[in-house]
Amino acid sequence: MCIRDRYQRRVRGRQAIMAELRVLVTGGSGLVGQGIQEVVTERPEDADAGNCAEWLFAGSKDGDLRELNDTMALFERFKPTHVIHLAANVGGLFKNMKYRVEMYRDNMAINDNVLAAAHKQGCVKVISMLSTCIFPDKTAYPIDEDMVHNGAPVSYTHLTLPTKRIV
């Protein structure tokens, strides 16, 4: 059974049944976004939803998610029912250390705008992917999602990547 069938069965009986499953992937031009795109387009037999959903991949060229108007316009254009939110202002160690406040503010704005646009569009679900850098500096391995808030993240990310913790 494909994901669309499960989705329609779950919402049957509600006032509106969405005929199409439209998945917007923010950060679609990044490493993880490209990986998802490869699976759903080039190997749909490997993806439960590959043949059952319309996949929409948005990168920074499609709109500046730090700006609410751009974000709303992107969601209005794509009209997603579901969102996989990967977009973020990211960088290596030195960018994280040099531009801490700017990256924190950008990522808070991106997350807030994506959630606001998804809500306004009536999206059924938003999945926000976390970076492994948001996990505590001192932790046991293997890491799992229950450990996210078990301490401060690595020091050079303390104002940047934890913004996804909030989502």
Side-chain angles (χ1 to χ4, degrees):
M1 174 185 308
C2 84
I3 196 169
R4 178 183 287 156
D5 296 334
R6 288 196 307 265
Y7 167 67
Q8 287 182 336
R9 187 179 309 161
R10 192 175 71 233
V11 299
R12 200 175 315 281
R14 292 185 188 172
Q15 287 183 342
I17 296 177
M18 295 179 188
E20 290 186 22
L21 184 65
R22 299 174 55 93
V23 182
L24 172 62
V25 180
T26 67
S29 60
L31 179 68
V32 177
Q34 288 178 354
I36 293 171
Q37 189 167 12
E38 178 183 329
V39 171
V40 299
T41 60
E42 297 175 20
R43 300 190 329 249
E45 69 280 359
D46 292 345
D48 184 34
N51 292 319
C52 299
E54 180 179 0
W55 289 84
L56 310 157
F57 294 86
S60 56
K61 67 179 178 7
D62 297 300
D64 185 349
L65 297 179
R66 296 171 299 179
E67 300 295 331
L68 181 59
N69 289 339
D70 281 10
T71 308
M72 292 295 185
L74 180 83
F75 275 69
E76 180 59 34
R77 185 168 72 243
F78 288 135
K79 298 189 181 339
T81 59
H82 295 70
V83 178
I84 299 176
H85 175 40
L86 308 174
N89 178 357
V90 295
L93 170 64
F94 294 109
K95 183 178 178 184
N96 285 338
M97 291 188 324
K98 186 173 182 177
Y99 299 106
R100 291 178 181 180
V101 173
E102 293 87 347
M103 292 178 70
Y104 173 81
R105 292 176 55 91
D106 285 352
N107 287 315
M108 288 297 291
I110 290 168
N111 295 335
D112 187 50
N113 292 340
V114 166
L115 291 176
H119 178 72
K120 183 175 182 183
Q121 185 64 39
C123 292
V124 174
K125 184 172 288 260
V126 175
I127 299 171
S128 295
M129 183 178 156
L130 303 171
S131 166
T132 56
C133 293
I134 61 90
F135 283 98
D137 189 18
K138 308 279 190 257
T139 191
Y141 292 91
I143 297 172
D144 69 35
E145 63 274 6
D146 293 329
M147 302 163 82
V148 169
H149 296 289
N150 289 350
V154 292
S155 62
Y156 64 85
T157 66
H158 78 278
L159 282 178
T160 56
L161 297 175
T163 59
K164 288 277 183 159
R165 279 185 170 185
I166 296 168
V167 175

